[in-house]
Amino acid sequence: MAKIIAGISSSHVPAIGAAIDNKQTEEPYWKRVFSGFEKSKQWMAAAKPDVIIAIYNDHASAFSVELIPTFAIGCAAEFPPADEGWGPRPVPVVQGHPELASHIATSCILDGFDLTIVNRMEVDHGLTVPLNLVFGSPTEWPCPVIPIAVNVVQYPPPTGQRCYDLGKAIRRAIASFPADLRVVVFGTGGMSHQISGPRAGLINQKFDKAFLDNLTKNPKALARMPHIEYMREAGAEGIEMVMWLVMRGALEDKVKEVYRFYTVPASNTAVGHIILENGVKAPARKPARKAAPKKARKATTRKATTRAARKAA
Ligand SMILES: [Fe+2]
């Protein structure tokens, strides 16, 4: 059976991709950002997943503003990098996993999540930047990737609760796939940022850190957070963080946080990153104290009363 071994969330700032493509990763400004992902690369090299499910958002590259599915799954055999205005990024073509993707689509749709099935799609920085951050710049990506795109570019995006529940549906889908595959789920986007308007450049470190804390320990409360709070606290584009809840929903209730990185700024956003592993056993409950049998309790009470009466006498 396939199983999800871990979840990874990471910002997908386009300027990070540009820094990689323009070979600026050793410059002090960018070194601060990339050095935070060195441990993640080691973790990934040891984990060696068979498949990645990448929850990301398309930035009007594959879908344009004429057609925006709320949730869409890529079932193609491959996904070339999109031209986002400067030509396609010089990154490998993403290889898909049509068999598992079709299984997830079937399982989720029959489970109440009407995913849009996409059989031809290009992928933009929302998906390729997180791959770079954990794999570096190889000539081929080390494993197939199933893209799941979430609308966070046009109102209304799905609620955090809906995203969290989609993660649970993905979890059920993976658990029912017969091949022995080790799967890692990515949640991308965020953290706090706003790219236009009077609040452009907004970063809220307090909110971001609380979000990371809750993502590990209290995701159910996080899932209840309304859109307006993302907008108010994390800026207009901070809504991308609902995608992290898909990743979290796909994991078990109790997870082990094995790594976290946060730095400000990268371009005009806060960069956040977390690795959560499945497989944490819930602590054993302490055995309840046995209540004394009724008769014994009565006897004890009688003895105590007799002792008290003797004392008083
Ligand atoms: Fe984005």
Side-chain angles (χ1 to χ4, degrees):
M1 288 293 179
K3 67 174 180 182
I4 294 171
I5 57 168
I8 294 183
S9 280
S10 158
S11 303
H12 60 216
V13 188
I16 293 177
I20 295 167
D21 302 344
N22 296 321
K23 307 200 182 316
Q24 295 168 325
T25 55
E26 290 301 313
E27 291 179 9
Y29 180 90
W30 288 112
K31 201 174 170 72
R32 169 180 50 87
V33 175
F34 289 104
S35 61
F37 289 85
E38 286 307 315
K39 281 192 179 165
S40 321
K41 286 181 188 165
Q42 291 165 15
W43 182 92
M44 201 47 123
K48 287 190 177 60
D50 298 306
V51 187
I52 285 169
I53 297 172
I55 316 299
Y56 80 111
N57 71 287
D58 178 74
H59 301 76
S61 305
F63 299 131
S64 86
V65 290
E66 293 169 357
L67 192 158
I68 304 177
T70 299
F71 297 120
I73 182 165
C75 296
E78 59 179 36
F79 307 93
D83 182 348
E84 298 181 64
W86 299 271
R89 289 194 62 213
V91 292
V93 170
V94 171
Q95 301 301 315
H97 197 303
E99 196 185 351
L100 179 58
S102 299
H103 172 83
I104 294 170
T106 305
S107 177
C108 286
I109 290 168
L110 297 181
D111 208 359
F113 279 89
D114 303 327
L115 304 181
T116 298
I117 294 168
V118 186
N119 291 319
R120 185 175 173 184
M121 180 165 73
E122 294 177 347
V123 288
D124 67 17
H125 70 272
L127 186 136
T128 57
V129 164
L131 291 181
N132 280 130
L133 287 171
V134 296
F135 289 128
S137 298
T139 51
E140 286 180 7
W141 300 122
C143 68
V145 179
I146 297 173
I148 295 184
V150 178
N151 167 38
V152 290
V153 297
Q154 181 167 320
Y155 189 82
T159 63
Q161 186 67 54
R162 187 71 173 152
C163 288
Y164 187 61
D165 292 342
L166 173 60
K168 292 192 174 303
I170 291 171
R171 180 171 153 189
R172 290 190 286 273
I174 297 296
S176 63
F177 190 69
D180 284 332
L181 297 176
R182 300 169 80 251
V183 179
V184 170
V185 181
F186 279 28
T188 76
M191 297 197 84
S192 56
H193 65 300
Q194 177 149 339
I195 58 176
S196 59
R199 297 204 307 162
L202 178 145
I203 287 175
N204 184 344
Q205 297 191 40
K206 196 175 165 195
F207 175 88
D208 289 340
K209 288 176 181 172
F211 188 93
L212 289 166
D213 289 342
N214 282 324
L215 194 69
T216 304
K217 294 178 187 162
N218 198 3
K220 286 178 185 165
L222 212 51
R224 290 193 291 271
M225 186 163 66
H227 288 144
I228 192 70
E229 200 165 333
Y230 288 92
M231 297 286 284
R232 187 170 47 228
E233 299 296 329
E237 279 70 35
I239 192 65
E240 287 186 343
M241 281 187 271
V242 292
M243 296 186 288
W244 294 31
L245 287 168
V246 182
M247 175 282 282
R248 186 61 182 90
L251 301 181
E252 292 161 5
D253 289 352
K254 287 206 178 299
V255 290
K256 183 180 173 191
E257 181 178 325
V258 294
Y259 184 58
R260 183 192 292 203
F261 174 63
Y262 183 82
T263 189
V264 169
S267 182
N268 55 356
T269 84
V271 166
H273 169 50
I274 201 163
I275 302 179
L276 305 174
E277 286 181 359
N278 264 343
V280 180
K281 284 182 186 158
R285 283 187 179 177
K286 282 183 185 170
R289 283 180 65 186
K290 271 190 181 172
K294 263 188 180 176
K295 270 189 179 173
R297 274 212 304 274
K298 270 187 184 168
T300 313
T301 314
R302 254 196 320 271
K303 272 184 190 170
T305 314
T306 315
R307 270 202 302 271
R310 273 188 203 139
K311 261 193 174 177

PDB file of all heavy atoms in Angstrom, residues 1 10 20-21 23 50 123 160 180 288:
ATOM      1  N   MET A   1       0.835  -1.202   0.000  1.00  0.00           N
ATOM      2  CA  MET A   1       0.000   0.000   0.000  1.00  0.00           C
ATOM      3  C   MET A   1       0.875   1.260   0.000  1.00  0.00           C
ATOM      4  O   MET A   1       1.930   1.280   0.621  1.00  0.00           O
ATOM      5  CB  MET A   1      -0.881   0.040   1.254  1.00  0.00           C
ATOM      6  CG  MET A   1      -1.999  -0.975   1.238  1.00  0.00           C
ATOM      7  SD  MET A   1      -3.197  -0.587  -0.049  1.00  0.00           S
ATOM      8  CE  MET A   1      -4.329  -1.928   0.152  1.00  0.00           C
ATOM      9  N   SER A  10       6.567  25.188   1.977  1.00  0.00           N
ATOM     10  CA  SER A  10       7.596  26.162   1.642  1.00  0.00           C
ATOM     11  C   SER A  10       6.994  27.298   0.833  1.00  0.00           C
ATOM     12  O   SER A  10       6.095  27.082   0.015  1.00  0.00           O
ATOM     13  CB  SER A  10       8.697  25.472   0.826  1.00  0.00           C
ATOM     14  OG  SER A  10       9.413  26.415   0.074  1.00  0.00           O
ATOM     15  N   ILE A  20      18.137  31.662  -8.504  1.00  0.00           N
ATOM     16  CA  ILE A  20      18.762  30.388  -8.912  1.00  0.00           C
ATOM     17  C   ILE A  20      19.148  30.464 -10.389  1.00  0.00           C
ATOM     18  O   ILE A  20      20.288  30.155 -10.767  1.00  0.00           O
ATOM     19  CB  ILE A  20      17.778  29.210  -8.685  1.00  0.00           C
ATOM     20  CG1 ILE A  20      17.493  29.034  -7.201  1.00  0.00           C
ATOM     21  CG2 ILE A  20      18.348  27.910  -9.282  1.00  0.00           C
ATOM     22  CD1 ILE A  20      16.316  28.112  -6.895  1.00  0.00           C
ATOM     23  N   ASP A  21      18.225  30.916 -11.209  1.00  0.00           N
ATOM     24  CA  ASP A  21      18.458  30.928 -12.656  1.00  0.00           C
ATOM     25  C   ASP A  21      19.569  31.897 -13.039  1.00  0.00           C
ATOM     26  O   ASP A  21      20.302  31.677 -13.998  1.00  0.00           O
ATOM     27  CB  ASP A  21      17.160  31.286 -13.396  1.00  0.00           C
ATOM     28  CG  ASP A  21      16.024  30.304 -13.080  1.00  0.00           C
ATOM     29  OD1 ASP A  21      16.333  29.207 -12.551  1.00  0.00           O
ATOM     30  OD2 ASP A  21      14.859  30.621 -13.334  1.00  0.00           O
ATOM     31  N   LYS A  23      22.114  32.587 -11.089  1.00  0.00           N
ATOM     32  CA  LYS A  23      23.302  32.185 -10.327  1.00  0.00           C
ATOM     33  C   LYS A  23      23.700  33.235  -9.267  1.00  0.00           C
ATOM     34  O   LYS A  23      24.847  33.628  -9.153  1.00  0.00           O
ATOM     35  CB  LYS A  23      24.466  31.903 -11.281  1.00  0.00           C
ATOM     36  CG  LYS A  23      24.086  30.914 -12.381  1.00  0.00           C
ATOM     37  CD  LYS A  23      25.258  30.256 -13.018  1.00  0.00           C
ATOM     38  CE  LYS A  23      24.880  29.312 -14.140  1.00  0.00           C
ATOM     39  NZ  LYS A  23      23.745  28.432 -13.889  1.00  0.00           N
ATOM     40  N   ASP A  50       9.072   8.239  -3.324  1.00  0.00           N
ATOM     41  CA  ASP A  50       8.796   7.706  -4.672  1.00  0.00           C
ATOM     42  C   ASP A  50       7.964   8.689  -5.487  1.00  0.00           C
ATOM     43  O   ASP A  50       8.049   8.707  -6.709  1.00  0.00           O
ATOM     44  CB  ASP A  50       8.032   6.378  -4.561  1.00  0.00           C
ATOM     45  CG  ASP A  50       8.860   5.327  -3.840  1.00  0.00           C
ATOM     46  OD1 ASP A  50       9.991   5.097  -4.277  1.00  0.00           O
ATOM     47  OD2 ASP A  50       8.369   4.767  -2.845  1.00  0.00           O
ATOM     48  N   VAL A 123       3.629  24.082 -15.704  1.00  0.00           N
ATOM     49  CA  VAL A 123       3.684  24.464 -14.282  1.00  0.00           C
ATOM     50  C   VAL A 123       4.620  25.653 -14.104  1.00  0.00           C
ATOM     51  O   VAL A 123       5.669  25.733 -14.739  1.00  0.00           O
ATOM     52  CB  VAL A 123       4.125  23.276 -13.394  1.00  0.00           C
ATOM     53  CG1 VAL A 123       3.026  22.242 -13.298  1.00  0.00           C
ATOM     54  CG2 VAL A 123       5.422  22.631 -13.894  1.00  0.00           C
ATOM     55  N   GLY A 160     -10.123  27.482   4.471  1.00  0.00           N
ATOM     56  CA  GLY A 160      -9.086  26.669   5.102  1.00  0.00           C
ATOM     57  C   GLY A 160      -9.622  25.291   5.483  1.00  0.00           C
ATOM     58  O   GLY A 160      -8.946  24.278   5.334  1.00  0.00           O
ATOM     59  N   ASP A 180       3.382  -0.112  -3.327  1.00  0.00           N
ATOM     60  CA  ASP A 180       4.138   0.350  -2.157  1.00  0.00           C
ATOM     61  C   ASP A 180       4.921   1.620  -2.495  1.00  0.00           C
ATOM     62  O   ASP A 180       6.090   1.546  -2.858  1.00  0.00           O
ATOM     63  CB  ASP A 180       5.111  -0.748  -1.694  1.00  0.00           C
ATOM     64  CG  ASP A 180       4.388  -1.848  -0.955  1.00  0.00           C
ATOM     65  OD1 ASP A 180       3.334  -1.562  -0.351  1.00  0.00           O
ATOM     66  OD2 ASP A 180       4.861  -2.995  -1.011  1.00  0.00           O
ATOM     67  N   ALA A 288      -6.386   4.466  34.464  1.00  0.00           N
ATOM     68  CA  ALA A 288      -7.240   5.160  35.442  1.00  0.00           C
ATOM     69  C   ALA A 288      -7.133   4.460  36.797  1.00  0.00           C
ATOM     70  O   ALA A 288      -6.980   3.232  36.842  1.00  0.00           O
ATOM     71  CB  ALA A 288      -8.677   5.140  34.933  1.00  0.00           C
TER      72      ALA A 288
END
